[in-house]
Amino acid sequence: MQFQFTPIGYIHSCYKDRFGTPRQPHLAPDSWAVLKLRPEFNLREALDGLEGFSHLWLIFVFHRNTNRTVKAKVHPPRLGGAKIGVFSTRSPHRPNPIGLSAVRLERIEGNELFLSGVDLIEGTPVLDIKPYLPAADSHPEARGGWADERADTRMPVSFAPEALASLETWLDRLGRGPEHLERLKRLIVQTIQLDPRANCYKGTPDEPHPYTDAYGFLLEDFNIVFQLVDDGALVVAADPWTL
Ligand SMILES: C[S@@+](CC[C@H](N)C(=O)[O-])C[C@H]1O[C@@H](n2cnc3c(N)ncnc32)[C@H](O)[C@@H]1O
């Protein structure tokens, strides 16, 4: 049997590319996305009642995967290079490249759902929306397998004065107020402190930062560039990429 699905809508996200995007929802609570339902499908009535839910499940397609083959075992970032069966991971590289994220629903305006705490990139096609049911979906006693032993760590993040000045200048030119600056700074910290680098760029306890390169990712209107320093990460540049 084969199945063909049509996206009900597409994601407009603060994250523009795979690098930098958190590996799960809620890791960066200030992250945001708008799910724009396709107007031609007249789905507004399908949203009736959804506003009462604080969280949603999104079922989507990893449309920006670049792998050509699917492997039975993958290297999740938290396993530091070790391999494990793909079905015990949330890897995007799976036999059917379908993603599942529980995100916060902030509000609904017409055909648009405003979301936060996302791990989806710009343009992601969404196949379905389901309400998150706390009584059925939340299991505080659940075991987390290998992931329980590999809790996410957070590294300190600071800003070089030039990067901060650039953010301030450009947000001012874009007509965004001080609240936007504060939220964006929080979002940059939340994003980088998770250490988005691939395992191969991470060092060992003896040599924690073998690469001196800068790493960049696109967030909202900015190309955010950071480097690893002794005590964490330093944001060295934040220049607009949209202008
Ligand atoms: C590990 S997956 C988890 C996604 C979802 N929460 C799940 O469990 O199915 C999250 C990563 O997928 C990547 N990603 C997000 N949207 C994508 C898309 N549309 N196409 C390809 N990769 C995507 C980002 O790099 C992000 O860090």
Side-chain angles (χ1 to χ4, degrees), residues 207-227:
E207 198 186 1
H209 309 313
Y211 298 96
T212 52
D213 314 9
Y215 301 87
F217 65 96
L218 301 182
L219 183 69
E220 297 190 359
D221 297 300
F222 293 92
N223 181 22
I224 308 291
V225 180
F226 66 94
Q227 279 181 319

Side-chain angles (χ1 to χ4, degrees), residues 165-184:
S166 174
L167 276 180
E168 277 168 15
T169 306
W170 284 104
L171 284 177
D172 194 46
R173 283 191 201 168
L174 290 165
R176 316 260 166 77
E179 271 179 30
H180 193 113
L181 174 65
E182 287 314 308
R183 189 193 49 73
L184 186 54

Side-chain angles (χ1 to χ4, degrees), residues 189-212:
V189 171
Q190 290 166 8
T191 302
I192 298 177
Q193 70 183 358
L194 299 164
D195 196 350
R197 293 173 303 161
N199 278 328
C200 57
Y201 292 105
K202 293 182 187 170
T204 59
D206 293 337
E207 198 186 1
H209 309 313
Y211 298 96
T212 52

Side-chain angles (χ1 to χ4, degrees), residues 81-96:
K83 282 188 183 176
I84 199 149
V86 67
F87 292 139
S88 80
T89 76
R90 306 293 286 262
S91 167
H93 307 116
R94 37 203 325 117
N96 291 307

Side-chain angles (χ1 to χ4, degrees), residues 6 31 71 76 102 109 112 120 142 144 163 190 192 225 236:
T6 304
S31 61
K71 301 205 168 100
E109 286 178 19
E112 299 188 341
L120 312 169
Q190 290 166 8
I192 298 177
V225 180
V236 291

